[in-house]
Amino acid sequence: MAQKLEGVVCRISAKVCDEDRLFGSVTARDVINALAAQKIVVEKRMVLLKEPIKEIGSFQIPIRVYKEVEPEITVEILPE
């Protein structure tokens, strides 16, 4: 599972209000749905997102597979 997650890129489209600020935020649930679209199933507790993402950009998010095994995926937030 860790090897499968290494180097994965998820692209999530979100509504933008001011320049690079999102109208709302991207949460762990959005990351889970984006991974599911790529046929990768993870649970909410596995996504180590410290706080919701509120701006456009590229973010490294660790996914806890096992204790001390946390490969990072890239989440790209794109404007709708």
Side-chain angles (χ1 to χ4, degrees):
M1 177 72 144
Q3 290 176 341
K4 188 176 182 181
L5 287 169
E6 199 66 46
V8 168
V9 177
C10 292
R11 290 175 180 83
I12 300 173
S13 295
K15 292 183 180 180
V16 179
C17 60
D18 296 329
E19 296 182 23
D20 292 343
R21 301 290 298 168
L22 298 182
F23 185 77
S25 61
V26 173
T27 64
R29 177 62 52 201
D30 298 312
V31 174
I32 291 167
N33 292 338
L35 286 171
Q38 297 183 36
K39 308 263 189 276
I40 301 172
V41 178
V42 297
E43 297 176 20
K44 187 175 180 182
R45 63 180 173 79
M46 296 170 69
V47 179
L48 303 179
L49 184 61
K50 293 181 179 125
E51 57 187 39
I53 300 170
K54 297 185 178 189
E55 58 190 38
I56 292 174
S58 184
F59 303 89
Q60 295 298 115
I61 308 227
I63 305 293
R64 179 173 289 143
V65 179
Y66 304 108
K67 187 175 183 181
E68 298 183 25
V69 177
E70 298 174 356
E72 289 188 342
I73 64 168
T74 302
V75 176
E76 293 179 356
I77 311 299
L78 307 170
E80 269 188 355

